[in-house]
Structure formats: structure tokens, C-alpha cells
Amino acid sequence: MKVTAILSTLIGLALTIGLVMMHGGAEIATSIANAGWGILLVIALHFPQSYSSGLAWRSVVISPQVPSRPVVFGLRLIREGVNALLPVAQIGGEFVGARLMALRGVALNKAGAAVTVDLTLEMLSQVIFTVLGLGLLMANPDTMGTVHWIVGGVLAALGVVVAFILAQRMGLFLVLESALLRLARRQNWKGLEDVAGLHLAIVELYKSPRRLVLGTGHHLMSWLLGALEVMAALHVVGVPVDLREALIIESLGQAIRALGFAVPGALGIQEGGFILVCGLLGIGPQSAIELSLLKRIRELFLGVPGLLAWQWIEGRRLVGAAPSKIEETSS
């Protein structure tokens, strides 16, 4: 599994570098360097997105000890950092997020249920966002002949979301729960037994329409705020766009990125997606790559501290557990 992840990372990285060099590597580097302090604006505009996504996650946590908004915001940044920077498929952050929420006092089955439903609502809201972007694109008669493939992609994505929801309701995570419990007993792993009740916790969440609507709304707001990041990123490289164009680029670009979920960080997929979508609006491939690279810089700027925070949290836990292990040994 690790070999496959590393191999896909290297292929994606090679594809990214190839696209950069093909469309003027020196010019792209100069343009990004000239962006200067504008890069900080692009980074800053991502905070409201992550905060809104954190609120969506928090809204589906059913526990006597629901973490505060700032804590969930921090955990959301860690989730994003893991998904963007580590050689794992783009759901590795969800596993880390569930574990860290469990360390904050939420039962592991409740934390696992919350992150599962949160991921589902994020996928559903992205389909809605993509439909919005597609509608804005189709409002221009000149692009009607180029969007049929996007419609097919949206329908396929909606089918995936529906299938994922049905699988949860029909017991997919009951099977996973049973497998994890058997593994814990066989390997004598402590703590993993707390996953018991994961399926029931997921079913309980789906019986709360208010939580589901609230979570979907927060995620949709997060996607919409992404258009501001696109406007800022293209502005600092000298390509101003209006809100409509930014919404189209962000919605369809993120939809294409989602198709490359198995590739760590969607390396190469994101760049190719932005080239394709920006081309529909008359924006050249060089500017599209500059947009993608500015997003990559933002991922590094926010993701590295997130990964360091994750390791710090895990380190504190191990240090705290050490004295108890010493006491067990001495007794």
C-alpha cells in the first residue's frame, strides 16, 4: 500500500513539473515571485473556509464533550494538512481527525461517526457547488458545446455520494466495526475496542435532519468562500476575474481534483483541471498553473504547522502514557 502511494505521488509530481515546464516554467516562477505579499492574502482567505468546514464537522458531533469551535478549527487544519501533504489517499486526514477528536474526550465510535457523516456532507455540498458552477458556465451560449462531459461527471459524483450514504445506512461500517474489533482482540490492541457502536452512531446522526442541514450549509459556505481565494490568486498574477468566473473555476476545478482522490494531494490532477476549466473562460494555461501553484503554497504554509501540531499532540500523549507503563512494570 505504501509503495503504491509513493509511486502515485512520484507520478503526480512528475506530471505537475511537466505541466509547469511545458507552459513556461521560468515565466511562472517569475510571476509567483512578483506576487509578493499578495500570497499572504491568498493564504489568509483560506481561514474562513477551514473555519466554516470546522463548524460543519462540529455540528455532527454528538457527545457530552463537544470540542470548542477553535479546537475543531485547529483539527480541521490538521485534517487538511494530512490530506494535502502526506503520501496517502485524500481521506487519510479523516482518520487522523477522528483519532484526535477522540483524544479530546469524544468517544471513538462517536468521533468516527462524526467524521464519516461530515465527509459525506462535504461530498454532497460539493455536488451542489459543482452544479452551481456548471449552471453559471452554461449561461454563456458559447460554452454549451463543451460542458456535456462535465454534466456526466456531476451525475457520476452524485451517484457516488448516494451510494456512499446507502452503504452507511445498510451496514458498511458495521462490517468495518466488526473487523476492527476482531483485529483488536487478535492483536491485543488497547483502545480500539472503543470503536464498538460505530454503525449505530452513524445511523443516529442520520436521524437528525437539523444536524445534516446545518453541516451541509456550513460546507456549502466553505466552497463558496473558495471563489474569493481564486479571485485573489489570479489577481496577484495579473489576471483579474469577476465573481461568476471565480465560482466556475473553483467549483469545476475542485470537482476535477476530487476525481483524483487516490493520488496524494491530487498532484498533476489539480493543475490539469485548472488548465481545462480556465481554458473555457479564455484564461491561458500559464495563469491556470500559477493559480494552482499558489494554492499549493497555501497548502504548504498551513499544512506543515498542522502536521507539526499533530505530532506534538501525539508526543504529549505518549509522554503522558509513559509513567503509567512504568508503574505497571514495577508492580
Side-chain angles (χ1 to χ4, degrees):
M1 200 68 169
K2 288 184 178 180
V3 174
T4 302
I6 293 174
L7 182 61
S8 61
T9 300
L10 293 176
I11 293 174
L13 186 60
L15 180 58
T16 301
I17 294 173
L19 287 172
V20 171
M21 300 307 296
M22 185 186 306
H23 295 289
E27 292 83 356
I28 290 172
T30 300
S31 181
I32 291 179
N34 290 338
W37 293 102
I39 296 175
L40 293 182
L41 174 62
V42 176
I43 294 170
L45 285 173
H46 190 71
F47 283 113
Q49 289 181 259
S50 296
Y51 185 76
S52 186
S53 294
L55 291 180
W57 183 13
R58 188 175 186 270
S59 68
V60 293
V61 178
I62 300 178
S63 171
Q65 296 178 312
V66 178
S68 66
R69 290 178 178 83
V71 168
V72 176
F73 172 51
L75 295 183
R76 174 69 194 192
L77 290 175
I78 292 175
R79 276 175 62 177
E80 292 179 2
V82 172
N83 286 337
L85 302 183
L86 293 188
V88 294
Q90 294 177 59
I91 56 171
E94 279 59 51
F95 290 99
V96 173
R99 171 175 171 76
L100 294 180
M101 185 164 281
L103 293 178
R104 298 292 305 187
V106 179
L108 185 58
N109 56 3
K110 301 289 188 181
V115 80
T116 300
V117 174
D118 177 58
L119 178 60
T120 307
L121 298 181
E122 187 170 11
M123 293 166 61
L124 177 60
S125 64
Q126 184 174 18
V127 171
I128 298 171
F129 184 49
T130 304
V131 170
L132 171 63
L134 183 60
L136 292 173
L137 181 63
M138 294 176 68
N140 183 354
D142 294 336
T143 62
M144 285 297 292
T146 62
V147 298
H148 60 278
W149 56 270
I150 302 179
V151 175
V154 170
L155 292 175
L158 182 58
V160 170
V161 174
V162 172
F164 189 44
I165 294 174
L166 290 176
Q168 294 172 51
R169 298 297 299 271
M170 295 173 65
L172 170 65
F173 284 86
L174 182 59
V175 176
L176 177 60
E177 176 187 330
S178 300
L180 289 174
L181 290 174
R182 286 197 300 272
L183 183 63
R185 287 192 293 268
R186 190 179 305 122
Q187 301 294 333
N188 195 29
W189 287 347
K190 301 299 181 183
L192 196 57
E193 63 272 8
D194 294 338
V195 79
L198 172 62
H199 171 71
L200 292 177
I202 291 174
V203 172
E204 181 183 1
L205 273 173
Y206 281 116
K207 292 179 180 178
S208 178
R210 186 186 69 83
R211 291 179 181 274
L212 300 179
V213 171
L214 189 60
T216 303
H218 281 307
H219 273 306
L220 185 56
M221 177 58 68
S222 178
W223 291 117
L224 291 169
L225 289 171
L228 299 180
E229 183 182 71
V230 169
M231 291 180 71
L234 287 173
H235 176 75
V236 299
V237 296
V239 185
V241 295
D242 59 26
L243 183 58
R244 170 186 168 273
E245 293 170 323
L247 284 168
I248 292 172
I249 293 169
E250 179 69 356
S251 61
L252 302 186
Q254 289 294 347
I256 294 173
R257 176 188 168 109
L259 295 176
F261 70 92
V263 179
L267 286 167
I269 308 297
Q270 174 175 290
E271 285 70 27
F274 280 130
I275 289 174
L276 189 62
V277 177
C278 286
L280 296 176
L281 300 173
I283 299 172
Q286 180 176 319
S287 299
I289 291 176
E290 290 165 359
L291 165 63
S292 183
L293 292 182
L294 284 171
K295 283 179 170 283
R296 298 286 185 197
I297 292 172
R298 182 260 297 160
E299 289 175 352
L300 281 170
F301 191 91
L302 299 180
V304 170
L307 295 181
L308 292 176
W310 171 33
Q311 294 306 305
W312 180 71
I313 293 170
E314 293 287 2
R316 287 186 61 192
R317 185 189 65 82
L318 291 175
V319 170
S324 61
K325 290 182 178 179
I326 294 174
E327 290 174 6
E328 290 176 6
T329 305
S330 61
S331 61

